[in-house]
Amino acid sequence: MSANSPDDPRQLDVVLVKAGRTKIRYAAELLGDDGTRVVVRAPWAGDGVRDFGFVRFEKGDVFTEYYWRDRWYAVKEVRDFEGTLKGWYCDVTRPATLSGSELVVEDLDLDLWHSADGRDVLRLDEDEFAESGLAATDPEAAAAAVAALDELESLAREGGFDALLA
């Protein structure tokens, strides 16, 4: 296989921006890009363990992340080091942009967790969203963000993300 073979995995940097600053940047393997949806895979990029109470993200976890250029969210399928599905962590974001080797998404504070067993569908960080002031500074974006969270919750409660991520 040559160095430029199409079979070589392409690496991207995922850049999550919040309030105009880079919140986190991490390397990911590009799995697919159909012009609308970008799919990457990356190991847990956080420092140590992040225990939310309803799920723990830790070393060895693998995230398959789905970003859209025309939707206001990203869906991250989370599996442990053995491949067991933990669930889906969803970020409400502005539509993603891919520029060169950077996939940039702007976090709008709202999140949703959908457990693998389907028992938990949790809306998260609505207080942070309210405190962000987005509703006053960019009412159209705020409305799109709330609509995105509603759509994610509806999808999760009506059978999950299988059709969305297929």
Side-chain angles (χ1 to χ4, degrees):
M1 185 182 315
S2 75
N4 295 321
S5 167
D7 295 328
D8 287 342
R10 180 172 168 209
Q11 297 295 306
L12 297 177
D13 280 342
V14 176
V15 182
L16 185 62
V17 177
K18 187 172 181 177
R21 290 183 278 192
T22 299
K23 181 177 174 183
I24 190 169
R25 171 189 293 266
Y26 54 93
E29 176 187 352
L30 177 65
L31 300 179
D33 181 356
D34 66 8
T36 301
R37 185 177 76 178
V38 179
V39 183
V40 301
R41 181 173 296 137
W44 164 240
D47 295 326
V49 174
R50 179 97 188 259
D51 189 342
F52 291 94
F54 50 86
V55 66
R56 289 170 48 103
F57 297 157
E58 51 202 326
K59 184 177 179 176
D61 286 351
V62 176
F63 288 65
T64 303
E65 304 175 358
Y66 300 82
Y67 298 92
W68 286 265
R69 291 177 175 97
D70 63 350
R71 296 184 189 205
W72 287 69
Y73 54 77
V75 176
K76 301 171 182 182
E77 179 186 276
V78 185
R79 294 183 179 271
D80 70 14
F81 71 97
E82 294 178 330
T84 302
L85 180 64
K86 291 183 172 187
W88 297 268
Y89 194 91
C90 307
D91 288 318
V92 173
T93 66
R94 291 185 188 268
T97 60
L98 181 60
S99 178
S101 64
E102 285 190 343
L103 180 64
V104 180
V105 289
E106 183 181 348
D107 185 351
L108 298 177
D109 292 311
L110 295 172
D111 301 300
L112 182 114
W113 170 252
H114 176 37
S115 62
D117 63 10
R119 290 184 191 155
D120 293 329
V121 177
L122 306 172
R123 294 170 71 107
L124 307 169
D125 303 328
E126 290 177 296
D127 55 338
E128 287 180 31
F129 178 73
E131 291 169 9
S132 75
L134 188 65
T137 60
D138 191 344
E140 288 181 17
V146 171
L149 184 62
D150 291 344
E151 179 182 345
L152 288 166
E153 182 180 17
S154 178
L155 287 168
R157 293 192 185 284
E158 293 172 8
F161 299 121
D162 291 342
L164 177 66
L165 305 180

